[in-house]
Amino acid sequence: MDKAYEPHQHEDDIYQKWEASGAFQPSNDPSKKPFTIPIPPPNVTGTLHAGHSMFITLQDILIRWHRMLGDAALWIPGTDHAAIATESVVLKQLEIKDRNKDISREKFLEEARKWTAKTHARITEQVRKMGASCDWTREAYTFDEPRNHAVNVIFKKLYDKGLIYRGDRMVNWSVGAQSVLADDEVEWEDRSDTFYSIRCGEFIMGTVRAETKCSDSPLFVNSAGEYARVRYTQNDGVSETIIIAKNLFDDAPRRKKLLNLLEKEDSTVELVEVMKGADLVGQEFEYETYAAKRNFVVMADDEIIDMDKGTGTMTISVLHSQDDYDLAQKHGLDQYRFEKIGFDGRMKAIAGTEVEGLAIEVARKKAAEIMKAKGLLVGEDKNYLHRVPVCYRSGTVVEPMVSRQWFVDVEKEFVPDFPPAEGRGLRGGFGAESTPQPPLTGGQNSATASPLVKGDLGDSQKTTLKKMTADAVRGNEVTIIPKQFEKTYFHWIDNLRDWCISRQIWWGHRIPVWYRGEEIFVGTEAPTGEGWIQDEDTLDTWFSSALWPFSTLGWPDEQNTDFQRFYPTSILETGHDILFFWVARMIMFGKFATGKYPFDTVYLHGLVCDAKGQKMSKSKGNGVDPLEIIEKFGTDALRLSLIIGTTPGNNANLGEEKIAGCRNLCNKLWNISRFILSQSPPSDKGELEGGCDEKNNTPQSLLVREEEKTDLQNWIIAKTDDLITEITSDLEKYRFGDAAQKLWNFTWNEFADWAVEAAKAESNPNTLACLRESLKTQLKLWHPFIPFVTEAIWQEGKLGGNLLISAEWPAVSGKNSSAKAFEQVCEIAGKIRSMRKLAGVDPTRKISAYIFGKNLEILEENATIIKSLARIASLTFETEPTKRTTEDGATDMAAGTTIFLPSSGMIDPAVEQARVQKELEAAKAQLVGLLAKLNNDGFLKSAPSNVVEQARAKAQELEEKVKTLEAKGL
């Protein structure tokens, strides 16, 4: 073995050997228990980042461990077509500003395929670089033909159940992306904008969106609320009346705030009339808006109007606010469905000639200018803080718009087509294609549901997609780790609305719906006959990603071998930030499509942050490029740094200092191995001379005469057995950080510091054999975490006939060896080391030591080892303390004994003289400075008394120290 481990000399060759050996593919032995992980497919738009590194490391640990356990371990690799992101990037690269005018759909798709082919190759190469032991023969892509077929099948299946419909609904419209976004794709930002107070007749309303106040509208009040007609008279005698919530008038601070906002703070205010909101209902009036005069009618809604907030009144923009849309639906106000803003983000004709065609932000300022000129704008708060919905891709503000789109109905009851409870597969077939149907609106679906198949829920029990998704966790069929994220999961489920799945982009799965006049056809393939036109929209990326755990295994072919054997998958490991984007939807679609939840465990890791715990971002410049880290430190160092010190769901800090420390661990393991293997070279067959018992992990020589094993050998066997038990338990409980830390502590501290060093002193061939076997065990335990260096050592040391990746997970020896005896040796040696350090003894200097106590047989038998570990030249054991303990020296206790280190011989006089002289000079210099300060009248007069007292106390302490050092006899 080389003196140092150089990752770049090994990693690429090792990965090629692994892949060529077929180790990444699951065993074909049907008796092997399947263990399956579907990789969260990275977007083809990007490159490997710290988040990818985390999930690759965690999942590779699991898959390598289960492979070593003997399971049929399958890790399914793949990538995601990332619809909106990919389309945006490709259009930008093609320098296309107007997609619909500047390029054909076919040409764009051709260019997008070329671009994603390149990025796909880059991503997969980077995943390999991380050491991911995926089965590349089963690689999938969310936009390949098999996945497209699966998408079409489940779309039709949902449609046939009435769970997919086309209707006019309020959606989140991204002007920047020119597409709909799902509710959970919308990000929210806190922003400061102008809050406008606008007059409407006698009423005052507040809004940020001045541009929407341009149409006829109902004016809502609270029927049970008290309102006040208030007159305020200015100094010039001009008076006006307004109607506001009475409590706003009664509360002096709020009244003052309102008058300041209305710029009437110098006015005289008087109460004219008090009335109930119900008394105002029914009033109709015409009043000016920035566009023109409009008609208003007073209506009541006691739920939406909170009398403790605002002025107690509001108008609505039905097609541009979800709350207003819901309110209009509630009161049947279809006559107020005015489209004020177009899907291009510009104002429509209803906004008037001066504002029509302006972009929203420009229109807002222009509308305010017009209202100010007309006397309608009665106040502006320019520092109003509120939350704004933002498109996660384009960064533009999301507009609530009503549009005809395709939705998944999460509340509609249906009878599921679940397979028999005792079977793993699905029933065959989905029946004929849907017959032509009239256009669908408002969530109604006239398609006939598929015939019921008896299954888990019974013939008569109906459910909903929402309930089914919630039941997964509530019924403990899917466990979320850590448990705290169940709250997040249920918050999303409990507030779930129908899912808008259509997108107005070209890159993605095209909706499998065709139209011919009034006819509509839904199917997995285009209908026969002339005149059919396919829907122009594509499906939300998350729709296809929701099928990932089973579409990658051959679904909808229920008889597919992979589907039969590996579904449901075993665990879904991913970041907690996509719990509802992806995880919940996989649970929903998996249960609906197959009758089985797609996995039984969800493990959520946290964000990868910088060394200071700050979220990584390009703007902060604190991002970590995994490939640069690999180039500098090696893959194993990066992987280990992501695991050490982390716990489920919590953020992991990553910095170069931590990564360098992990590289040092890899080097330490290499150096330990180099020493041990050089002391016990393998035979031509790759086994230790004399043979060894692989099953029990114990050298044959030790099996011959157990009673002759030394305390050190027993310690090595017992501690290694304990390590196997603890690491196995931690992995079973997904405590990756704990497992890695225990391995680190054992390898670096106990094994290297005690066992290896003690073995050098003992010089026993059986001890070297024990070290070798313990090393083999540690390499196996370490392998899932740091696979490259462990495989390199395994091969260099010829520790087995096969690759380490294919080795069996170690089992305890069953020798009932005890570490207790040698623990006393370690405790004694450790205490002597501490005493030496405290006394300032040179680490290389050998000294004398005495140990007093009873039952010293174990320590006497291991005297040679103690002397070596503690650098002792002369070690004396005595039953009772002698006069020596009264001599100058250091005394302490450990392992039920008294340890005495005589001063004689502990210190090199010349070295000690130099140390004392240096310390004396420093104390004198500090004392001179303090005395000068204390002799300064200015200091004594100006400094606080406690500071002066502290200086005097310190000076006295230094004087004593100088005397003590001078008394050393120098």
Side-chain angles (χ1 to χ4, degrees), residues 468-571:
M468 209 159 53
T469 310
D471 286 348
V473 177
R474 285 201 173 100
N476 296 318
E477 294 195 56
V478 176
T479 300
I480 296 178
I481 300 172
K483 191 176 179 63
Q484 70 206 48
F485 284 102
E486 287 185 6
K487 183 177 180 181
T488 305
Y489 182 85
F490 288 123
H491 177 76
W492 181 80
I493 294 294
D494 293 342
N495 293 281
L496 187 60
R497 295 174 177 262
D498 287 359
W499 173 17
C500 181
I501 55 174
S502 46
R503 299 291 181 269
Q504 290 64 54
I505 58 177
W506 287 344
W507 182 248
H509 297 275
R510 196 161 174 180
I511 292 177
V513 177
W514 288 260
Y515 310 99
R516 184 169 63 181
E518 294 298 309
E519 294 179 285
I520 181 170
F521 180 89
V522 177
T524 58
E525 295 180 357
T528 58
E530 299 294 329
W532 289 100
I533 299 174
Q534 188 172 1
D535 197 302
E536 291 290 326
D537 290 351
T538 54
L539 286 163
D540 179 11
T541 301
W542 297 109
F543 188 94
S544 55
S545 297
L547 280 60
W548 189 249
F550 48 99
S551 68
T552 52
L553 293 172
W555 188 90
D557 177 7
E558 306 92 335
Q559 304 308 315
N560 181 283
T561 302
D562 277 358
F563 182 78
Q564 290 282 332
R565 189 178 185 200
F566 295 108
Y567 186 84
T569 64
S570 305
I571 184 172

Side-chain angles (χ1 to χ4, degrees), residues 614-634:
Q614 298 177 325
K615 184 177 179 180
M616 293 183 183
S617 69
K618 292 180 180 178
S619 61
K620 291 180 181 177
N622 64 344
V624 172
D625 184 341
L627 297 184
E628 290 182 4
I629 293 297
I630 290 172
E631 181 66 26
K632 186 172 182 179
F633 296 101

Side-chain angles (χ1 to χ4, degrees), residues 681-699:
S683 66
D684 293 338
K685 295 181 180 180
E687 296 291 343
L688 183 65
E689 292 290 357
C692 77
D693 180 0
E694 285 288 340
K695 182 177 180 181
N696 291 319
N697 215 22
T698 307

Side-chain angles (χ1 to χ4, degrees), residues 130-171:
M130 280 296 300
S133 56
C134 303
D135 182 356
W136 294 103
T137 66
R138 287 176 165 89
E139 184 184 359
Y141 177 42
T142 58
F143 200 21
D144 59 20
E145 195 286 324
R147 260 46 67 182
N148 180 251
H149 176 63
V151 164
N152 291 345
V153 168
I154 199 166
F155 186 99
K156 177 191 176 320
K157 189 173 174 66
L158 287 161
Y159 176 85
D160 285 348
K161 288 288 187 185
L163 302 178
I164 282 185
Y165 66 90
R166 188 182 185 216
D168 296 316
R169 290 278 306 273
M170 179 67 71
V171 296

Side-chain angles (χ1 to χ4, degrees), residues 44 81-84 86-87 99 105 108-110 112-113 116 141 143 505-509 538-539 541:
V44 289
H81 64 287
I84 291 179
T86 298
E87 178 148 325
R99 182 197 65 184
R105 185 170 192 147
F108 169 78
L109 292 175
E110 179 185 341
R113 290 188 188 100
T116 53
Y141 177 42
F143 200 21
I505 58 177
W506 287 344
W507 182 248
H509 297 275
T538 54
L539 286 163
T541 301

Side-chain angles (χ1 to χ4, degrees), residues 672-706:
I672 295 168
S673 303
R674 183 169 175 268
F675 167 75
I676 293 172
L677 297 174
S678 69
Q679 301 301 308
S680 53
S683 66
D684 293 338
K685 295 181 180 180
E687 296 291 343
L688 183 65
E689 292 290 357
C692 77
D693 180 0
E694 285 288 340
K695 182 177 180 181
N696 291 319
N697 215 22
T698 307
Q700 287 282 14
S701 55
L702 297 186
L703 293 175
V704 177
R705 302 192 60 174
E706 292 287 329

